[in-house]
Amino acid sequence: MIAPLMPTYARADLAFERGEGVWLTGTDGRRYLDFAGGVAVSSLGHAHPRLVAAITEQAGKVWHVSNLFRIPEAERLAKMLVDVSFADTVFFCNSGAEAMEC
């Protein structure tokens, strides 16, 4: 019989209950430096108060808007990135497949 959560990864027998900055605390109470935070996501650390506040504020407004519509916040962020980097334009994507399509 297959497990309810499909066993597609060789998961380490380690679970985390909270994070703070670059540190994770395991369910066993031990602290670990998070070297894997960037796997499949941006490595933003854990539970930074300003990030928690920004996410909480946004969750009270709109959670997701399709790319078929204008997203003013994305437009502002793209402009900021272009202004401080080598880039002329920015493409925000959700996956490696979208990045390759770009």
Side-chain angles (χ1 to χ4, degrees):
M1 175 125 325
I2 194 166
L5 178 59
M6 187 177 284
T8 54
Y9 301 98
R11 289 185 171 91
D13 188 21
L14 179 60
F16 304 107
E17 62 183 22
R18 68 181 182 278
E20 182 178 341
V22 297
W23 294 98
L24 290 167
T25 302
T27 53
D28 60 0
R30 293 179 61 189
R31 285 175 36 111
Y32 299 86
L33 184 58
D34 184 5
F35 283 108
V39 176
V41 297
S42 297
S43 183
L44 300 173
H46 302 278
H48 189 283
R50 287 178 53 193
L51 185 55
V52 170
I55 292 169
T56 301
E57 179 183 348
Q58 186 61 44
K61 297 177 185 176
V62 176
W63 287 19
H64 178 266
V65 175
S66 170
N67 287 331
L68 297 174
F69 305 99
R70 288 188 54 232
I71 304 170
E73 294 83 357
E75 293 169 1
R76 282 193 295 275
L77 178 57
K79 174 87 168 80
M80 288 171 48
L81 291 171
V82 166
D83 288 348
V84 299
S85 74
F86 63 89
D88 294 321
T89 190
V90 174
F91 175 64
F92 295 117
C93 57
N94 296 307
S95 67
E98 280 187 354
M100 293 304 294
E101 289 170 353
C102 178

